[in-house]
Amino acid sequence: MELQRNLGRLDRIVRGVLGVWLIAGAISAVRDDRTTTAATLAVAGAGLLFNARTGFCGCNAALGIDTTSASVEPAE
């Protein structure tokens, strides 16, 4: 299964940074023995890191959103 890119460069960078931040929050939650919070943050962070790595977002695809530079129309 090939995933068609629908995320632009800036979108991927933001998702990558947020994904790392959520994973760090999950690690902190594990240390504080908050397992439900840790699991939630880890899953959300992993999802954002997957989006950043592949350049594909299923929600964007379902909504018809494409933030790649090829889809941006030039200004007149």
Short mmCIF file of all heavy atoms in Angstrom, two decimals:
data_model
loop_
_atom_site.label_atom_id
_atom_site.label_comp_id
_atom_site.label_asym_id
_atom_site.label_seq_id
_atom_site.Cartn_x
_atom_site.Cartn_y
_atom_site.Cartn_z
N MET A 1 0.84 -1.17 0.00
CA MET A 1 0.00 0.00 0.00
C MET A 1 0.88 1.24 0.00
O MET A 1 1.71 1.42 0.88
CB MET A 1 -0.88 -0.02 1.25
CG MET A 1 -1.78 1.16 1.35
SD MET A 1 -2.98 0.96 2.67
CE MET A 1 -2.33 2.12 3.84
N GLU A 2 0.70 2.08 -0.99
CA GLU A 2 1.48 3.31 -1.08
C GLU A 2 0.63 4.48 -0.61
O GLU A 2 -0.52 4.63 -1.00
CB GLU A 2 1.93 3.55 -2.52
CG GLU A 2 2.86 4.72 -2.64
CD GLU A 2 3.40 4.87 -4.05
OE1 GLU A 2 3.54 3.86 -4.74
OE2 GLU A 2 3.65 6.01 -4.44
N LEU A 3 1.22 5.28 0.25
CA LEU A 3 0.53 6.45 0.78
C LEU A 3 0.94 7.68 -0.02
O LEU A 3 2.12 7.98 -0.13
CB LEU A 3 0.88 6.66 2.25
CG LEU A 3 0.64 5.46 3.17
CD1 LEU A 3 1.15 5.75 4.56
CD2 LEU A 3 -0.83 5.12 3.22
N GLN A 4 -0.03 8.37 -0.59
CA GLN A 4 0.26 9.57 -1.37
C GLN A 4 0.46 10.75 -0.41
O GLN A 4 -0.38 11.00 0.45
CB GLN A 4 -0.89 9.88 -2.32
CG GLN A 4 -0.65 11.14 -3.11
CD GLN A 4 -1.04 10.97 -4.54
OE1 GLN A 4 -1.50 9.92 -4.94
NE2 GLN A 4 -0.86 12.01 -5.32
N ARG A 5 1.56 11.45 -0.58
CA ARG A 5 1.86 12.58 0.30
C ARG A 5 0.80 13.66 0.18
O ARG A 5 0.39 14.04 -0.90
CB ARG A 5 3.21 13.19 -0.04
CG ARG A 5 4.34 12.33 0.43
CD ARG A 5 5.63 13.06 0.34
NE ARG A 5 6.65 12.25 0.97
CZ ARG A 5 7.90 12.57 1.05
NH1 ARG A 5 8.32 13.70 0.54
NH2 ARG A 5 8.75 11.78 1.66
N ASN A 6 0.37 14.14 1.35
CA ASN A 6 -0.58 15.25 1.38
C ASN A 6 -0.20 16.28 2.44
O ASN A 6 -1.00 17.11 2.81
CB ASN A 6 -2.02 14.75 1.57
CG ASN A 6 -2.21 13.99 2.87
OD1 ASN A 6 -1.30 13.88 3.69
ND2 ASN A 6 -3.40 13.45 3.05
N LEU A 7 1.05 16.19 2.94
CA LEU A 7 1.54 17.14 3.93
C LEU A 7 2.73 17.91 3.36
O LEU A 7 3.66 17.32 2.84
CB LEU A 7 2.00 16.41 5.21
CG LEU A 7 0.94 15.66 5.99
CD1 LEU A 7 1.58 14.95 7.18
CD2 LEU A 7 -0.15 16.58 6.46
N GLY A 8 2.68 19.22 3.51
CA GLY A 8 3.78 20.06 3.07
C GLY A 8 4.92 20.05 4.09
O GLY A 8 4.82 19.48 5.17
N ARG A 9 6.01 20.72 3.74
CA ARG A 9 7.23 20.73 4.56
C ARG A 9 6.96 21.30 5.95
O ARG A 9 7.34 20.69 6.96
CB ARG A 9 8.31 21.51 3.85
CG ARG A 9 9.62 21.51 4.59
CD ARG A 9 10.72 22.13 3.73
NE ARG A 9 11.99 21.99 4.39
CZ ARG A 9 12.65 23.00 4.93
NH1 ARG A 9 12.16 24.22 4.85
NH2 ARG A 9 13.80 22.80 5.52
N LEU A 10 6.33 22.47 6.02
CA LEU A 10 6.08 23.10 7.31
C LEU A 10 5.16 22.23 8.17
O LEU A 10 5.38 22.07 9.38
CB LEU A 10 5.47 24.49 7.12
CG LEU A 10 5.15 25.26 8.40
CD1 LEU A 10 6.42 25.47 9.23
CD2 LEU A 10 4.49 26.57 8.07
N ASP A 11 4.15 21.67 7.57
CA ASP A 11 3.21 20.79 8.27
C ASP A 11 3.95 19.59 8.85
O ASP A 11 3.70 19.19 10.00
CB ASP A 11 2.11 20.34 7.31
CG ASP A 11 0.85 19.87 8.01
OD1 ASP A 11 0.80 19.94 9.24
OD2 ASP A 11 -0.08 19.45 7.31
N ARG A 12 4.85 19.01 8.09
CA ARG A 12 5.63 17.86 8.56
C ARG A 12 6.55 18.23 9.72
O ARG A 12 6.70 17.48 10.68
CB ARG A 12 6.43 17.26 7.42
CG ARG A 12 5.54 16.61 6.37
CD ARG A 12 6.34 16.08 5.21
NE ARG A 12 7.07 14.89 5.63
CZ ARG A 12 7.94 14.26 4.87
NH1 ARG A 12 8.21 14.70 3.66
NH2 ARG A 12 8.55 13.18 5.31
N ILE A 13 7.17 19.41 9.64
CA ILE A 13 8.07 19.86 10.71
C ILE A 13 7.28 20.06 12.00
O ILE A 13 7.70 19.61 13.07
CB ILE A 13 8.80 21.15 10.29
CG1 ILE A 13 9.81 20.84 9.19
CG2 ILE A 13 9.49 21.80 11.49
CD1 ILE A 13 10.41 22.07 8.54
N VAL A 14 6.14 20.73 11.90
CA VAL A 14 5.31 20.98 13.09
C VAL A 14 4.86 19.66 13.71
O VAL A 14 4.93 19.47 14.93
CB VAL A 14 4.11 21.87 12.73
CG1 VAL A 14 3.11 21.94 13.87
CG2 VAL A 14 4.58 23.27 12.36
N ARG A 15 4.42 18.73 12.89
CA ARG A 15 3.98 17.43 13.42
C ARG A 15 5.13 16.66 14.06
O ARG A 15 4.96 16.00 15.07
CB ARG A 15 3.34 16.60 12.30
CG ARG A 15 1.98 17.13 11.90
CD ARG A 15 1.46 16.43 10.65
NE ARG A 15 0.31 17.08 10.12
CZ ARG A 15 -0.94 16.58 10.19
NH1 ARG A 15 -1.14 15.42 10.76
NH2 ARG A 15 -1.94 17.25 9.68
N GLY A 16 6.32 16.76 13.48
CA GLY A 16 7.48 16.10 14.06
C GLY A 16 7.84 16.66 15.42
O GLY A 16 8.09 15.91 16.37
N VAL A 17 7.85 17.98 15.52
CA VAL A 17 8.17 18.63 16.81
C VAL A 17 7.12 18.27 17.85
O VAL A 17 7.45 17.92 18.99
CB VAL A 17 8.30 20.15 16.63
CG1 VAL A 17 8.37 20.87 17.97
CG2 VAL A 17 9.51 20.49 15.78
N LEU A 18 5.85 18.37 17.49
CA LEU A 18 4.78 18.02 18.43
C LEU A 18 4.82 16.54 18.82
O LEU A 18 4.56 16.18 19.98
CB LEU A 18 3.41 18.37 17.85
CG LEU A 18 3.09 19.84 17.74
CD1 LEU A 18 1.74 20.05 17.05
CD2 LEU A 18 3.08 20.50 19.10
N GLY A 19 5.16 15.69 17.86
CA GLY A 19 5.27 14.26 18.16
C GLY A 19 6.36 13.97 19.17
O GLY A 19 6.15 13.21 20.13
N VAL A 20 7.51 14.59 19.01
CA VAL A 20 8.61 14.42 19.97
C VAL A 20 8.20 14.96 21.33
O VAL A 20 8.46 14.34 22.37
CB VAL A 20 9.90 15.10 19.46
CG1 VAL A 20 10.95 15.16 20.53
CG2 VAL A 20 10.42 14.38 18.22
N TRP A 21 7.54 16.09 21.35
CA TRP A 21 7.08 16.70 22.59
C TRP A 21 6.10 15.78 23.32
O TRP A 21 6.17 15.61 24.54
CB TRP A 21 6.44 18.05 22.27
CG TRP A 21 6.05 18.84 23.48
CD1 TRP A 21 6.86 19.51 24.33
CD2 TRP A 21 4.72 19.02 23.96
NE1 TRP A 21 6.11 20.12 25.31
CE2 TRP A 21 4.79 19.83 25.11
CE3 TRP A 21 3.47 18.58 23.52
CZ2 TRP A 21 3.66 20.20 25.83
CZ3 TRP A 21 2.36 18.96 24.24
CH2 TRP A 21 2.46 19.76 25.38
N LEU A 22 5.17 15.16 22.58
CA LEU A 22 4.21 14.25 23.20
C LEU A 22 4.89 12.98 23.72
O LEU A 22 4.53 12.47 24.79
CB LEU A 22 3.10 13.89 22.21
CG LEU A 22 2.11 15.01 21.92
CD1 LEU A 22 1.17 14.59 20.79
CD2 LEU A 22 1.32 15.36 23.15
N ILE A 23 5.88 12.47 23.01
CA ILE A 23 6.61 11.29 23.48
C ILE A 23 7.36 11.64 24.77
O ILE A 23 7.40 10.85 25.71
CB ILE A 23 7.58 10.77 22.40
CG1 ILE A 23 6.80 10.26 21.18
CG2 ILE A 23 8.51 9.71 22.95
CD1 ILE A 23 5.94 9.03 21.43
N ALA A 24 7.96 12.83 24.83
CA ALA A 24 8.64 13.27 26.05
C ALA A 24 7.64 13.37 27.21
O ALA A 24 7.95 12.98 28.35
CB ALA A 24 9.33 14.60 25.83
N GLY A 25 6.45 13.86 26.93
CA GLY A 25 5.39 13.92 27.94
C GLY A 25 4.98 12.53 28.40
O GLY A 25 4.70 12.31 29.59
N ALA A 26 4.96 11.58 27.49
CA ALA A 26 4.62 10.20 27.84
C ALA A 26 5.67 9.60 28.77
O ALA A 26 5.34 8.92 29.74
CB ALA A 26 4.48 9.34 26.58
N ILE A 27 6.92 9.88 28.48
CA ILE A 27 8.01 9.38 29.34
C ILE A 27 7.89 9.98 30.73
O ILE A 27 8.04 9.29 31.75
CB ILE A 27 9.38 9.68 28.70
CG1 ILE A 27 9.54 8.85 27.43
CG2 ILE A 27 10.51 9.42 29.69
CD1 ILE A 27 10.72 9.25 26.57
N SER A 28 7.59 11.27 30.79
CA SER A 28 7.40 11.94 32.07
C SER A 28 6.21 11.34 32.83
O SER A 28 6.28 11.14 34.05
CB SER A 28 7.18 13.43 31.85
OG SER A 28 6.92 14.09 33.06
N ALA A 29 5.14 11.04 32.14
CA ALA A 29 3.96 10.45 32.77
C ALA A 29 4.25 9.05 33.30
O ALA A 29 3.76 8.67 34.37
CB ALA A 29 2.80 10.41 31.79
N VAL A 30 5.08 8.29 32.59
CA VAL A 30 5.47 6.96 33.08
C VAL A 30 6.24 7.08 34.38
O VAL A 30 6.01 6.33 35.33
CB VAL A 30 6.30 6.20 32.02
CG1 VAL A 30 6.98 4.98 32.61
CG2 VAL A 30 5.42 5.79 30.85
N ARG A 31 7.13 8.05 34.44
CA ARG A 31 7.92 8.27 35.66
C ARG A 31 7.03 8.66 36.84
O ARG A 31 7.36 8.35 37.99
CB ARG A 31 8.96 9.35 35.44
CG ARG A 31 10.08 8.91 34.55
CD ARG A 31 11.11 9.99 34.43
NE ARG A 31 12.27 9.50 33.69
CZ ARG A 31 13.31 10.24 33.40
NH1 ARG A 31 13.35 11.51 33.80
NH2 ARG A 31 14.31 9.74 32.74
N ASP A 32 5.93 9.35 36.57
CA ASP A 32 4.99 9.76 37.63
C ASP A 32 3.92 8.70 37.88
O ASP A 32 2.97 8.95 38.62
CB ASP A 32 4.32 11.09 37.28
CG ASP A 32 5.28 12.25 37.29
OD1 ASP A 32 6.36 12.12 37.91
OD2 ASP A 32 4.96 13.29 36.66
N ASP A 33 4.05 7.54 37.25
CA ASP A 33 3.12 6.41 37.41
C ASP A 33 1.70 6.76 36.96
O ASP A 33 0.72 6.36 37.58
CB ASP A 33 3.13 5.92 38.86
CG ASP A 33 2.70 4.46 38.96
OD1 ASP A 33 2.82 3.74 37.96
OD2 ASP A 33 2.24 4.04 40.04
N ARG A 34 1.58 7.53 35.87
CA ARG A 34 0.28 7.86 35.27
C ARG A 34 0.20 7.12 33.94
O ARG A 34 0.43 7.68 32.88
CB ARG A 34 0.16 9.36 35.07
CG ARG A 34 0.20 10.14 36.38
CD ARG A 34 0.09 11.63 36.15
NE ARG A 34 1.12 12.05 35.21
CZ ARG A 34 1.18 13.25 34.67
NH1 ARG A 34 0.30 14.16 34.96
NH2 ARG A 34 2.15 13.56 33.83
N THR A 35 -0.15 5.84 34.01
CA THR A 35 -0.06 4.98 32.84
C THR A 35 -1.08 5.33 31.75
O THR A 35 -0.76 5.25 30.56
CB THR A 35 -0.23 3.51 33.24
OG1 THR A 35 -1.45 3.35 33.95
CG2 THR A 35 0.93 3.06 34.11
N THR A 36 -2.28 5.72 32.12
CA THR A 36 -3.28 6.06 31.11
C THR A 36 -2.86 7.30 30.33
O THR A 36 -2.94 7.33 29.09
CB THR A 36 -4.66 6.30 31.76
OG1 THR A 36 -5.01 5.15 32.51
CG2 THR A 36 -5.71 6.60 30.73
N THR A 37 -2.38 8.30 31.03
CA THR A 37 -1.89 9.51 30.38
C THR A 37 -0.70 9.19 29.49
O THR A 37 -0.60 9.69 28.36
CB THR A 37 -1.50 10.57 31.43
OG1 THR A 37 -2.64 10.85 32.23
CG2 THR A 37 -0.99 11.84 30.79
N ALA A 38 0.21 8.36 30.00
CA ALA A 38 1.40 7.99 29.24
C ALA A 38 1.02 7.27 27.95
O ALA A 38 1.57 7.57 26.88
CB ALA A 38 2.32 7.11 30.08
N ALA A 39 0.08 6.35 28.03
CA ALA A 39 -0.33 5.61 26.84
C ALA A 39 -0.99 6.53 25.81
O ALA A 39 -0.72 6.44 24.61
CB ALA A 39 -1.29 4.49 27.23
N THR A 40 -1.84 7.43 26.29
CA THR A 40 -2.51 8.38 25.39
C THR A 40 -1.51 9.28 24.68
O THR A 40 -1.57 9.47 23.46
CB THR A 40 -3.53 9.23 26.17
OG1 THR A 40 -4.45 8.37 26.83
CG2 THR A 40 -4.27 10.18 25.26
N LEU A 41 -0.56 9.83 25.44
CA LEU A 41 0.45 10.70 24.85
C LEU A 41 1.35 9.94 23.88
O LEU A 41 1.73 10.46 22.83
CB LEU A 41 1.30 11.35 25.95
CG LEU A 41 0.59 12.38 26.83
CD1 LEU A 41 1.50 12.83 27.97
CD2 LEU A 41 0.13 13.57 26.01
N ALA A 42 1.69 8.70 24.23
CA ALA A 42 2.56 7.90 23.37
C ALA A 42 1.89 7.59 22.03
O ALA A 42 2.51 7.68 20.97
CB ALA A 42 2.97 6.62 24.07
N VAL A 43 0.62 7.23 22.06
CA VAL A 43 -0.10 6.91 20.83
C VAL A 43 -0.24 8.17 19.96
O VAL A 43 0.00 8.12 18.74
CB VAL A 43 -1.49 6.30 21.13
CG1 VAL A 43 -2.36 6.23 19.89
CG2 VAL A 43 -1.31 4.91 21.74
N ALA A 44 -0.60 9.30 20.57
CA ALA A 44 -0.73 10.54 19.81
C ALA A 44 0.62 10.97 19.23
O ALA A 44 0.70 11.37 18.06
CB ALA A 44 -1.30 11.64 20.71
N GLY A 45 1.67 10.86 20.03
CA GLY A 45 3.00 11.23 19.55
C GLY A 45 3.47 10.33 18.42
O GLY A 45 4.04 10.81 17.43
N ALA A 46 3.22 9.04 18.56
CA ALA A 46 3.62 8.10 17.51
C ALA A 46 2.86 8.38 16.22
O ALA A 46 3.43 8.30 15.12
CB ALA A 46 3.37 6.66 17.97
N GLY A 47 1.59 8.73 16.33
CA GLY A 47 0.80 9.07 15.14
C GLY A 47 1.34 10.29 14.42
O GLY A 47 1.46 10.31 13.20
N LEU A 48 1.70 11.32 15.19
CA LEU A 48 2.25 12.53 14.58
C LEU A 48 3.62 12.26 13.96
O LEU A 48 3.94 12.79 12.89
CB LEU A 48 2.34 13.65 15.61
CG LEU A 48 1.00 14.27 16.01
CD1 LEU A 48 1.21 15.28 17.13
CD2 LEU A 48 0.33 14.93 14.83
N LEU A 49 4.43 11.44 14.61
CA LEU A 49 5.74 11.11 14.05
C LEU A 49 5.59 10.29 12.77
O LEU A 49 6.36 10.45 11.82
CB LEU A 49 6.60 10.37 15.07
CG LEU A 49 7.08 11.23 16.24
CD1 LEU A 49 7.80 10.37 17.27
CD2 LEU A 49 7.98 12.35 15.75
N PHE A 50 4.59 9.40 12.73
CA PHE A 50 4.30 8.65 11.50
C PHE A 50 3.92 9.61 10.38
O PHE A 50 4.41 9.48 9.25
CB PHE A 50 3.17 7.65 11.76
CG PHE A 50 2.70 6.95 10.51
CD1 PHE A 50 3.43 5.90 9.98
CD2 PHE A 50 1.56 7.36 9.86
CE1 PHE A 50 3.01 5.26 8.81
CE2 PHE A 50 1.13 6.74 8.70
CZ PHE A 50 1.86 5.68 8.18
N ASN A 51 3.04 10.57 10.69
CA ASN A 51 2.65 11.58 9.69
C ASN A 51 3.86 12.35 9.20
O ASN A 51 4.00 12.57 7.98
CB ASN A 51 1.66 12.58 10.28
CG ASN A 51 0.30 12.01 10.58
OD1 ASN A 51 -0.42 12.55 11.39
ND2 ASN A 51 -0.07 10.91 9.94
N ALA A 52 4.71 12.78 10.11
CA ALA A 52 5.89 13.57 9.73
C ALA A 52 6.84 12.75 8.87
O ALA A 52 7.40 13.26 7.90
CB ALA A 52 6.61 14.07 10.97
N ARG A 53 7.01 11.49 9.18
CA ARG A 53 7.95 10.64 8.44
C ARG A 53 7.44 10.30 7.05
O ARG A 53 8.18 10.34 6.07
CB ARG A 53 8.22 9.36 9.24
CG ARG A 53 9.08 8.35 8.54
CD ARG A 53 10.51 8.86 8.44
NE ARG A 53 11.35 7.86 7.81
CZ ARG A 53 11.88 8.01 6.60
NH1 ARG A 53 11.71 9.11 5.93
NH2 ARG A 53 12.62 7.06 6.09
N THR A 54 6.16 9.96 6.95
CA THR A 54 5.62 9.51 5.66
C THR A 54 5.10 10.66 4.80
O THR A 54 4.97 10.51 3.59
CB THR A 54 4.47 8.51 5.87
OG1 THR A 54 3.41 9.15 6.57
CG2 THR A 54 4.95 7.27 6.61
N GLY A 55 4.76 11.79 5.43
CA GLY A 55 4.18 12.89 4.68
C GLY A 55 2.71 12.65 4.34
O GLY A 55 2.15 13.32 3.48
N PHE A 56 2.09 11.71 5.02
CA PHE A 56 0.70 11.36 4.75
C PHE A 56 -0.11 11.47 6.03
O PHE A 56 0.32 11.03 7.09
CB PHE A 56 0.59 9.93 4.21
CG PHE A 56 -0.83 9.46 4.06
CD1 PHE A 56 -1.58 9.85 2.97
CD2 PHE A 56 -1.42 8.65 5.00
CE1 PHE A 56 -2.90 9.44 2.82
CE2 PHE A 56 -2.73 8.22 4.87
CZ PHE A 56 -3.47 8.62 3.77
N CYS A 57 -1.31 12.04 5.93
CA CYS A 57 -2.24 12.12 7.05
C CYS A 57 -3.59 11.59 6.58
O CYS A 57 -4.16 12.10 5.61
CB CYS A 57 -2.37 13.56 7.55
SG CYS A 57 -3.61 13.75 8.85
N GLY A 58 -4.07 10.57 7.25
CA GLY A 58 -5.35 9.97 6.88
C GLY A 58 -6.51 10.93 7.04
O GLY A 58 -7.44 10.93 6.22
N CYS A 59 -6.48 11.75 8.08
CA CYS A 59 -7.56 12.74 8.28
C CYS A 59 -7.56 13.76 7.15
O CYS A 59 -8.63 14.12 6.65
CB CYS A 59 -7.41 13.43 9.63
SG CYS A 59 -7.74 12.35 11.03
N ASN A 60 -6.38 14.23 6.77
CA ASN A 60 -6.30 15.16 5.64
C ASN A 60 -6.84 14.51 4.37
O ASN A 60 -7.54 15.15 3.59
CB ASN A 60 -4.87 15.62 5.41
CG ASN A 60 -4.45 16.73 6.35
OD1 ASN A 60 -5.14 17.03 7.31
ND2 ASN A 60 -3.29 17.31 6.09
N ALA A 61 -6.49 13.25 4.15
CA ALA A 61 -6.96 12.54 2.95
C ALA A 61 -8.48 12.42 2.96
O ALA A 61 -9.12 12.64 1.93
CB ALA A 61 -6.31 11.17 2.87
N ALA A 62 -9.05 12.09 4.12
CA ALA A 62 -10.50 11.94 4.21
C ALA A 62 -11.23 13.26 3.98
O ALA A 62 -12.32 13.28 3.43
CB ALA A 62 -10.87 11.36 5.57
N LEU A 63 -10.59 14.36 4.40
CA LEU A 63 -11.20 15.67 4.25
C LEU A 63 -10.83 16.38 2.94
O LEU A 63 -11.29 17.48 2.67
CB LEU A 63 -10.82 16.57 5.43
CG LEU A 63 -11.35 16.11 6.79
CD1 LEU A 63 -10.74 16.96 7.90
CD2 LEU A 63 -12.86 16.15 6.83
N GLY A 64 -9.95 15.76 2.16
CA GLY A 64 -9.53 16.34 0.89
C GLY A 64 -8.55 17.49 1.03
O GLY A 64 -8.47 18.34 0.17
N ILE A 65 -7.81 17.51 2.13
CA ILE A 65 -6.84 18.58 2.38
C ILE A 65 -5.47 18.14 1.90
O ILE A 65 -5.03 17.04 2.19
CB ILE A 65 -6.79 18.92 3.89
CG1 ILE A 65 -8.15 19.40 4.37
CG2 ILE A 65 -5.70 19.95 4.17
CD1 ILE A 65 -8.25 19.55 5.87
N ASP A 66 -4.80 19.00 1.17
CA ASP A 66 -3.45 18.72 0.67
C ASP A 66 -2.61 19.97 0.87
O ASP A 66 -2.87 21.01 0.26
CB ASP A 66 -3.51 18.35 -0.81
CG ASP A 66 -2.19 17.86 -1.36
OD1 ASP A 66 -1.15 18.00 -0.67
OD2 ASP A 66 -2.17 17.34 -2.48
N THR A 67 -1.59 19.88 1.73
CA THR A 67 -0.76 21.05 2.04
C THR A 67 0.60 21.00 1.35
O THR A 67 1.49 21.78 1.70
CB THR A 67 -0.56 21.20 3.55
OG1 THR A 67 0.11 20.06 4.07
CG2 THR A 67 -1.89 21.39 4.26
N THR A 68 0.77 20.09 0.40
CA THR A 68 2.03 20.04 -0.33
C THR A 68 2.16 21.26 -1.24
O THR A 68 1.15 21.85 -1.63
CB THR A 68 2.15 18.76 -1.17
OG1 THR A 68 1.06 18.72 -2.10
CG2 THR A 68 2.15 17.51 -0.32
N SER A 69 3.36 21.62 -1.57
CA SER A 69 3.57 22.83 -2.38
C SER A 69 2.99 22.70 -3.78
O SER A 69 2.64 23.69 -4.41
CB SER A 69 5.05 23.15 -2.46
OG SER A 69 5.76 22.09 -3.05
N ALA A 70 2.85 21.49 -4.28
CA ALA A 70 2.30 21.27 -5.62
C ALA A 70 0.83 21.65 -5.67
O ALA A 70 0.31 21.98 -6.73
CB ALA A 70 2.48 19.82 -6.04
N SER A 71 0.14 21.61 -4.52
CA SER A 71 -1.29 21.89 -4.52
C SER A 71 -1.59 23.37 -4.30
O SER A 71 -2.72 23.78 -4.40
CB SER A 71 -1.98 21.07 -3.43
OG SER A 71 -1.56 21.52 -2.16
N VAL A 72 -0.57 24.17 -3.98
CA VAL A 72 -0.77 25.59 -3.73
C VAL A 72 -0.79 26.33 -5.06
O VAL A 72 0.12 26.19 -5.87
CB VAL A 72 0.34 26.15 -2.81
CG1 VAL A 72 0.17 27.63 -2.62
CG2 VAL A 72 0.35 25.41 -1.49
N GLU A 73 -1.82 27.10 -5.28
CA GLU A 73 -1.91 27.86 -6.52
C GLU A 73 -1.07 29.11 -6.42
O GLU A 73 -1.03 29.76 -5.38
CB GLU A 73 -3.37 28.21 -6.79
CG GLU A 73 -4.22 26.98 -7.05
CD GLU A 73 -5.61 27.34 -7.50
OE1 GLU A 73 -5.80 28.45 -8.05
OE2 GLU A 73 -6.49 26.51 -7.30
N PRO A 74 -0.39 29.50 -7.50
CA PRO A 74 0.45 30.69 -7.46
C PRO A 74 -0.38 31.97 -7.28
O PRO A 74 -1.50 32.06 -7.76
CB PRO A 74 1.16 30.69 -8.81
CG PRO A 74 0.33 29.82 -9.68
CD PRO A 74 -0.37 28.84 -8.79
N ALA A 75 0.21 32.93 -6.58
CA ALA A 75 -0.46 34.22 -6.37
C ALA A 75 -0.45 35.03 -7.67
O ALA A 75 0.50 34.97 -8.44
CB ALA A 75 0.23 35.01 -5.27
N GLU A 76 -1.49 35.77 -7.91
CA GLU A 76 -1.58 36.57 -9.13
C GLU A 76 -1.05 37.95 -8.93
O GLU A 76 -1.01 38.52 -7.94
CB GLU A 76 -3.02 36.64 -9.59
CG GLU A 76 -3.51 35.29 -10.04
CD GLU A 76 -4.94 35.36 -10.56
OE1 GLU A 76 -5.37 36.45 -11.01
OE2 GLU A 76 -5.61 34.36 -10.50
#
